[in-house]
Amino acid sequence: MLVNLIKVPFNPMLTVMKKSILFLFFVCSNALFSQKVTDSISSKKLNEQRQITIGLPPSYEKHPNQKYPVLILLDGDFLFDPFQGAMSYGYYWDDLPEVIIVGIIQNKKNVRETDCALDKTTGLPTEKGESFFEFIGMELLPYIEKKYRTAPFKMIAGLDTTASFLNCYLYKDNPIFDAYISMSPELPTGMEEQIPDRLTAIQKPIFYYHSSADGDVKKMRNRILALDEVAKKINKPTLNYRFDDFKGASHYSLVLNSIPSALYQIFSVYQPISTTEFNEKIATLTSGYVDYLAKKYDVIDKSYALKLPIRLNDFKAIEAAILKNKAYDEFDKLAQLAKKNYPKSMLADYEMGQMYEKKGDNARAVKSYMSAFQREEIGDLTKEMMIDRADDLKKSLPKKGKKGKDEPVVEETPPTDSPPSEVIPTDAPATDTPKPVKKP
């Protein structure tokens, strides 16, 4: 092995940590966000007990019907906390989903070397490496899936020796993992050519991330760069590929750069509509704004096996696009989505009210806003707001003659601030708890 993690002095790592104070804040406060437990599994493949660390999502007990993606961490001894910290931070801003994290303890008696033993000629697991390969796929994953509520989407991550080992799962015709995070892998001879071949041949959607740095171990770095040179030319819709080559980083410090980069790459589609996405992908459309929103969440479902209600901020983004481009008929389709996602709320009637109001049909707009008044409030939409909108529009309705019936009287309510018309989405999540403003 080129790099022995057990014998690394602590001080260089401490220096790196000091440069990541904000990141460390979340690493050190994981208890605020999720449950962390230690468990052990009796392995027939390895003929021994293996210790694992499990991080459950903060909402695991609160939402008993929800299922979560699984992240398997090789080198769980030292990768667990930084990964959990990054996931907690991303979840706080609704950029990353909640996941079940499973860290495999491998640095006791340096078992990572024997766990990840590869044949120097074929690059395939050999001796205990073959048993460890089967332990993960045939014992550990079934154990986690039986004990916890897991979604089908599975990820695996490692550093140098373990990063190289995790690539072996790509050699299966139907790999058990959907996403691979290979940080500075110590690739055996030939693997830099085999991985691009496998990424090309695999039919299922694959997320593949790997990284290096200008301060990385030279021999390892050369093969990593050779891998990227071929892999980046692969053009297929089912491959989500990214390589990071960090400047001013060492073999160890690149880890703190790689983790958030990898997670944000893998879950890029999951994230709420940002200002950039709105300006570059939505506002430029001439039509199909609601279709864009529906497809976005369909991709989330198909990519990560996560069924999410459409975020209120994303509804607002589509409202803004419709208003900006005067595509008022699309409010009808948006109302249908609102009724499907929030059937008891006033959102669907509010969208219909906006459509009628913008098209000049104030009588129907009043009816829609009054109908919204009868339903549950949601986000910043309130009953008082619906009454105010209806009252303002009723002033413009034609007065009936003496023989006509009087209009129904709406009880006056104190004036409120008028709701925003065209709200451009921000990167901050819509929550009931005030949070610091997220800078773009």
Side-chain angles (χ1 to χ4, degrees):
M1 178 182 174
L2 293 175
V3 181
N4 191 328
L5 290 174
I6 298 178
K7 298 179 180 178
V8 175
F10 181 72
N11 286 339
M13 286 298 292
L14 182 60
T15 302
V16 173
M17 294 295 188
K18 288 180 179 178
K19 295 180 180 179
S20 306
I21 296 175
L22 179 60
F23 185 77
L24 251 187
F25 168 77
F26 288 96
V27 172
C28 294
S29 59
N30 282 329
L32 299 175
F33 294 96
S34 57
Q35 308 170 49
K36 180 179 177 181
V37 297
T38 299
D39 197 357
S40 63
I41 177 172
S42 178
S43 171
K44 293 182 180 179
K45 296 292 181 180
L46 297 172
N47 195 30
E48 62 186 12
Q49 288 283 126
R50 291 305 296 259
Q51 186 179 351
I52 57 176
T53 304
I54 301 170
L56 294 179
S59 73
Y60 190 83
E61 299 297 335
K62 184 179 180 181
H63 298 127
N65 297 321
Q66 186 171 339
K67 296 182 178 181
Y68 303 86
V70 175
L71 170 60
I72 300 294
L73 294 178
L74 308 180
D75 285 324
D77 315 63
F78 56 85
L79 288 184
F80 188 95
D81 283 344
F83 264 96
Q84 190 179 45
M87 291 300 308
S88 297
Y89 182 83
Y91 169 70
Y92 180 85
W93 292 109
D94 199 21
D95 283 343
L96 301 175
E98 294 179 288
V99 304
I100 295 174
I101 304 176
V102 181
I104 304 175
I105 306 304
Q106 290 185 274
N107 269 346
K108 291 183 177 179
K109 299 180 180 179
N110 205 24
V111 295
R112 73 193 301 264
E113 293 295 324
T114 53
D115 280 349
C116 301
L118 300 178
D119 187 278
K120 294 182 179 180
T121 304
T122 65
L124 297 175
T126 184
E127 299 176 355
K128 189 184 176 184
E130 185 175 356
S131 298
F132 185 68
F133 182 89
E134 293 177 346
F135 159 72
I136 293 175
M138 301 173 68
E139 294 182 328
L140 177 60
L141 282 175
Y143 175 80
I144 297 299
E145 290 167 353
K146 183 178 180 179
K147 190 171 183 178
Y148 302 102
R149 302 189 307 275
T150 64
F153 190 78
K154 295 183 283 290
M155 303 167 281
I156 187 168
L159 172 67
D160 56 52
T161 297
T162 60
S164 175
F165 182 82
L166 64 82
N167 285 295
C168 294
Y169 289 99
L170 291 170
Y171 294 161
K172 294 284 188 179
D173 291 334
N174 185 28
I176 59 175
F177 292 103
D178 305 281
Y180 300 77
I181 302 175
S182 178
M183 297 176 289
S184 185
E186 186 183 3
L187 302 173
T189 304
M191 186 174 276
E192 69 272 23
E193 299 170 354
Q194 296 165 359
I195 292 175
D197 288 343
R198 293 305 304 148
L199 293 177
T200 301
I202 295 171
Q203 297 300 310
K204 67 178 287 186
I206 290 291
F207 296 82
Y208 190 85
Y209 175 90
H210 65 135
S211 60
S212 184
D214 53 8
D216 206 352
V217 180
K218 188 174 181 180
K219 185 177 180 181
M220 295 166 58
R221 176 173 168 76
N222 290 339
R223 287 181 179 166
I224 295 170
L225 294 176
L227 189 163
D228 174 61
E229 195 62 33
V230 180
K232 68 183 179 182
K233 297 176 183 178
I234 301 173
N235 184 18
K236 54 185 297 190
T238 55
L239 175 63
N240 187 317
Y241 172 83
R242 180 181 176 90
F243 169 64
D244 279 329
D245 190 13
F246 297 107
K247 306 301 179 185
S250 69
H251 176 75
Y252 300 103
S253 65
L254 67 83
V255 171
L256 292 181
N257 292 295
S258 299
I259 291 174
S261 181
L263 293 174
Y264 272 73
Q265 173 232 349
I266 292 170
F267 292 109
S268 59
V269 178
Y270 173 89
Q271 295 159 27
I273 295 174
S274 64
T275 304
T276 301
E277 183 179 0
F278 178 84
N279 290 331
E280 296 180 359
K281 296 183 178 181
I282 300 175
T284 55
L285 296 173
T286 56
S287 63
Y289 308 105
V290 180
D291 289 339
Y292 180 96
L293 181 62
K295 288 178 181 177
K296 177 181 175 72
Y297 281 80
D298 185 52
V299 171
I300 292 175
D301 182 12
K302 290 180 178 178
S303 298
Y304 314 118
L306 294 174
K307 293 186 180 297
L308 304 177
I310 297 176
R311 301 174 178 94
L312 294 182
N313 271 359
D314 290 350
F315 270 104
K316 284 188 175 184
I318 300 305
E319 287 176 21
I322 291 173
L323 294 170
K324 180 181 179 67
N325 294 282
K326 299 181 179 180
Y328 305 133
D329 286 336
E330 292 218 17
F331 273 121
D332 193 352
K333 293 180 69 174
L334 192 61
Q336 294 176 35
L337 271 187
K339 189 173 183 179
K340 180 180 179 181
N341 285 266
Y342 303 99
K344 295 182 179 180
S345 81
M346 60 176 59
L347 183 58
D349 289 312
Y350 171 71
E351 304 294 10
M352 293 301 294
Q354 287 197 94
M355 182 184 75
Y356 291 130
E357 181 179 355
K358 289 300 179 181
K359 294 175 72 173
D361 192 344
N362 289 353
R364 289 189 177 182
V366 169
K367 185 176 180 180
S368 294
Y369 289 136
M370 292 305 296
S371 179
F373 173 80
Q374 304 298 324
R375 297 186 177 275
E376 294 179 2
E377 296 181 346
I378 184 170
D380 59 0
L381 301 181
T382 65
K383 292 179 180 291
E384 192 171 21
M385 181 191 297
M386 298 304 113
I387 286 291
D388 286 346
R389 284 216 164 187
D391 284 349
D392 288 342
L393 291 176
K394 288 180 73 173
K395 296 175 183 177
S396 67
L397 297 178
K399 301 294 182 180
K400 293 188 177 181
K402 294 182 180 180
K403 294 183 180 180
K405 295 182 180 180
D406 292 335
E407 296 181 72
V409 177
V410 179
E411 185 177 346
E412 293 294 330
T413 55
T416 61
D417 295 335
S418 57
S421 54
E422 297 186 16
V423 182
I424 304 300
T426 65
D427 295 329
T431 61
D432 294 332
T433 304
K435 296 180 180 179
V437 177
K438 182 180 179 183
K439 297 182 180 179

